Amino acid sequence: MAASEFHPIDQAAPGLATRALRAIETILGVAVAVVLAVLLFTVLVTVCLRYFFGTGFIGAEDLGIWLHVALIALGAPLSLNSALAMRLDVFVRMLPEKLQKVTRIGADVFTVLSALILAFGGSEIMTMLGGISPTLGLPEWIRFGFLGAGGALILMVLLLQRIAEGKILAVALSLTLGVALYAGIPHISFDLDWPPSILLGLIAALGLLLAAPLPHAFLAAAYVAIAFGSSLPEPAIVSSTVTGISKFLLLAIPFFLLAGGLLTASGVANQLVRFAAAMVGHRRAGLAQTTLLTSVLFSGASGSSVANAAFGASTFQPELVKHGYPPAQGAAIIAATSVLDNIIPPSIAFLILASATNLSVGALLVGGFFAGGLMAICLAVAIHLTVREQVPLARASAKQRGQSAVQAIPAFGLGVIVVVGIRIGIVTTTEAAALAAFYTLLLGIGARLGILSLYATFRQAAVEAAAIGLLIGTAGPFAFLLAVDDVSSLIAHLTTTLGGSALAVILLSNVILFAVGLVLDIGAAILLFGPILLPAAVAAGIDPIQFGVIIVVNLMIHGLTPPLGMLIFVVSGVTRIPASELFRAVVPYLLALLVSLAILCAWAIIF
């Protein structure tokens, strides 16, 4: 009797949860799109006031930072079940189904714990923090309250997702374990001689093995490390997270993502494809070389390798197969050429590096041009040697080349705005990114994009930016403990042991970056190890800009390596080709990129 009474409820729960989840996701989607639009408007107004009227309004920069924190808090829940969650699930997929269910529960425990840390840690800071923002006239606790609300939203969305999937018992167990850990950690103490940063890394690694989202693994590990003597209590963990994302420079990330999305939605990206085909399509492996040249040109627009990988997989893969390319080889070429987007300016990776190390963004962008050009040449040679194209493209006439060049001018204008504006100091990096987004918005309006298309583009850019922003913030406590444990001195001691030369620093740094790049997202690896490795490089006489470029190039190559291989998995998801086949097919192009990295290292040592 009791079972029959509860059966209708069990059947109704997933349906109710699905409807509630859709409603919340719709509300959050609209909210993040609106916040991004307001953020863009705020920065553009600031630029206009300064250059046309010689004035501005007090608090513009702080308002932008606060809106960015709000964007991250509202957008983070929307990326829980997407590739943006940055889950390392390659090991979980190798397990039997029963064990996979156990690991999913474990991964959700990390998410529950991180959500509770944000929610209650944010609330605690709100009650402790006093003072008024001198520029905005608002209480300072509001900025920290945004992430507290974000934690509550993450927990709510997770519960609804699992209930909608019919995993009521599993999510109840995850919630119980997460709450128990959250309540118990402050009352537990383990006396170990290991540095807290090492323990934090091991706990985060456990979260990664269970396929927990990378930001949640960092945040939960920072909290659990309290039991092992960490000097960061819960409020300090949340404060460090908020501080990590409260940088005006980071506002450039959502603007660059928006520019890339609008460029694709408006059709201007396809004009780059036609121009590239007219230039190199008739050569040997012409369509593959067209893919490469398009990636080089598109790099000046999106600044995101993931965006270019998705665009290239949907645009070029069918044509490559049609022209006789083996499907895996064609997809591997697309993944390999997508590496360039985070090297050739504008580059989100260089923005993250600049925010972590205070290196000049403009100088890094110039270095990115040199490195990106070298990598493109090495890839072109590899493509020429490995591709046996069956159906070459027709040679374009001079008139067709001229027409394609004229049609591509709008896309080239975007690169001019960004790179020239930053390099000669007309605008800041964030302002240049805002102008780029506004420019592509005008292109989209000119292409008669509808309101729904514009909304979808703003929403996607906002969610992607929120996922990246949360990663940047949650890497803050880990970076702090690495600094407290003086890991940089350990690196310096190792380089001294190896001779202390530029060669020793380069070799050791590359080994470290190769190791961490296998399991860490490029953003997290830059934030954690950029500030540690850079002082040793400078002490060895290596130019810091050249070394910064080497860091980014090294870590970007890991977009093609197992087990993480983000670019491989993005292309695999679009083309439906198994990732294992792509990892094998990409080897020649991976070797070409390693050759380019070796040349960059030799250049840094010699010059």
Side-chain angles (χ1 to χ4, degrees):
M1 182 68 178
S4 62
E5 289 176 355
F6 283 100
H7 182 70
I9 297 177
D10 294 338
Q11 294 293 323
L16 291 172
T18 299
R19 289 192 290 273
L21 180 62
R22 288 175 180 171
I24 291 174
E25 289 181 338
T26 299
I27 294 171
L28 289 178
V30 172
V32 294
V34 170
V35 170
L36 179 54
V38 173
L39 189 57
L40 177 61
F41 177 78
T42 300
V43 177
L44 289 174
V45 168
T46 302
V47 175
C48 290
L49 287 176
R50 185 169 75 248
Y51 283 101
F52 293 106
F53 302 98
T55 184
F57 65 89
I58 298 175
E61 185 170 318
D62 285 341
L63 177 60
I65 290 172
W66 285 40
L67 288 172
H68 184 228
V69 176
L71 178 72
I72 294 170
L74 294 171
L78 294 174
S79 63
L80 270 179
N81 265 4
S82 70
L84 297 170
M86 305 175 197
R87 297 177 186 266
L88 180 63
D89 59 355
V90 63
F91 299 114
V92 171
R93 291 200 303 266
M94 298 167 61
L95 299 174
E97 178 60 30
K98 289 184 178 180
L99 287 179
Q100 287 187 27
K101 293 179 180 179
V102 175
T103 59
R104 281 194 287 267
I105 293 174
D108 284 349
V109 169
F110 275 83
T111 298
V112 168
L113 184 55
S114 63
L116 293 173
I117 294 165
L118 290 176
F120 290 103
S123 299
E124 189 172 351
I125 292 178
M126 291 167 63
T127 58
M128 295 167 53
L129 192 64
I132 302 294
S133 169
T135 57
L136 298 178
L138 297 173
E140 285 285 354
W141 59 260
I142 293 178
R143 177 162 55 102
F144 294 86
F146 286 144
L147 274 194
L153 288 170
I154 289 172
L155 183 59
M156 184 186 305
V157 169
L158 174 69
L159 296 178
L160 289 175
Q161 283 180 349
R162 297 298 178 259
I163 294 172
E165 295 167 358
K167 301 173 182 175
I168 299 176
L169 181 59
V171 75
L173 182 57
S174 299
L175 182 62
T176 302
L177 291 173
V179 171
L181 277 173
Y182 179 78
I185 287 297
H187 306 289
I188 301 174
S189 178
F190 297 98
D191 187 15
L192 295 179
D193 293 333
W194 291 13
S197 61
I198 300 298
L199 292 166
L200 190 156
L202 292 174
I203 298 166
L206 174 62
L208 286 178
L209 291 175
L210 294 173
L214 182 55
H216 300 173
F218 277 154
L219 201 59
Y223 184 75
V224 174
I226 294 174
F228 296 92
S230 169
S231 57
L232 279 177
E234 182 186 10
I237 293 173
V238 179
S239 176
S240 177
T241 301
V242 176
T243 302
I245 56 180
S246 296
K247 299 177 181 178
F248 191 68
L249 174 64
L250 297 179
L251 272 64
I253 293 176
F255 295 152
F256 280 139
L257 291 171
L258 179 60
L262 289 169
L263 198 72
T264 302
S266 65
V268 175
N270 291 323
Q271 295 169 3
L272 290 174
V273 175
R274 287 192 287 271
F275 172 71
M279 295 296 106
V280 299
H282 61 281
R283 299 181 180 276
R284 177 178 171 179
L287 190 55
Q289 301 289 7
T290 298
T291 304
L292 172 60
L293 183 55
T294 300
S295 187
V296 171
L297 298 174
F298 197 63
S299 298
S302 70
S304 167
S305 289
V306 171
N308 190 36
F311 170 76
S314 59
T315 302
F316 285 109
Q317 179 67 8
E319 292 299 317
L320 287 167
V321 173
K322 187 187 300 182
H323 283 73
Y325 288 71
Q329 184 185 43
I333 290 171
I334 292 168
T337 57
S338 298
V339 170
L340 300 177
D341 276 69
N342 249 335
I343 306 298
I344 299 175
S347 164
I348 291 174
F350 283 135
L351 291 176
I352 295 174
L353 179 63
S355 71
T357 60
N358 294 320
L359 289 175
S360 165
V361 176
L364 286 172
L365 295 183
V366 172
F369 271 122
F370 175 78
L374 175 62
M375 295 167 74
I377 291 172
C378 291
L379 283 173
V381 172
I383 290 171
H384 181 81
L385 296 175
T386 59
V387 170
R388 298 292 182 269
E389 191 169 12
Q390 298 177 7
V391 184
L393 298 178
R395 178 185 290 270
S397 65
K399 181 179 179 180
Q400 288 173 327
R401 291 184 181 185
Q403 288 176 342
S404 64
V406 171
Q407 291 171 350
I409 286 176
F412 294 145
L414 182 59
V416 172
I417 291 173
V418 174
V419 179
V420 175
I422 294 173
R423 187 56 183 166
I424 66 178
I426 297 176
V427 289
T428 66
T429 303
T430 299
E431 292 170 345
L435 290 172
F438 180 65
Y439 176 77
T440 52
L441 178 60
L442 294 179
L443 293 178
I445 294 172
R448 298 183 179 180
L449 285 180
I451 294 296
L452 290 180
S453 295
L454 290 174
Y455 161 71
T457 305
F458 270 79
R459 183 188 187 278
Q460 180 179 350
V463 174
E464 290 175 352
I468 295 172
L470 186 63
L471 174 63
I472 292 172
T474 54
F478 196 177
F480 176 83
L481 288 181
L482 286 173
V484 169
D485 292 336
D486 204 15
V487 176
S488 58
S489 293
L490 175 62
I491 299 296
H493 176 70
L494 286 175
T495 57
T496 302
T497 303
L498 294 174
S501 65
L503 177 61
V505 172
I506 288 289
L507 288 176
L508 180 62
S509 298
N510 275 296
V511 169
I512 293 173
L513 293 172
F514 276 131
V516 300
L518 291 173
V519 294
L520 282 184
D521 172 82
I522 179 174
I526 288 173
L527 290 165
L528 295 176
F529 291 92
I532 291 175
L533 297 175
L534 187 61
V538 172
I542 301 172
D543 180 83
I545 299 300
Q546 292 182 11
F547 188 75
V549 171
I550 289 172
I551 290 175
V552 173
V553 170
N554 182 306
L555 294 174
M556 273 309 305
I557 290 174
H558 284 294
L560 307 176
T561 60
L564 196 56
M566 179 65 72
L567 299 179
I568 292 292
F569 285 113
V570 169
V571 173
S572 173
V574 175
T575 62
R576 305 301 178 191
I577 298 173
S580 57
E581 293 185 21
L582 294 187
F583 280 124
R584 288 193 294 270
V586 83
V587 169
Y589 315 111
L590 179 60
L591 291 175
L593 292 172
L594 290 173
V595 168
S596 67
L597 175 62
I599 294 173
L600 288 172
C601 292
W603 181 272
I605 293 172
I606 297 171
F607 299 99

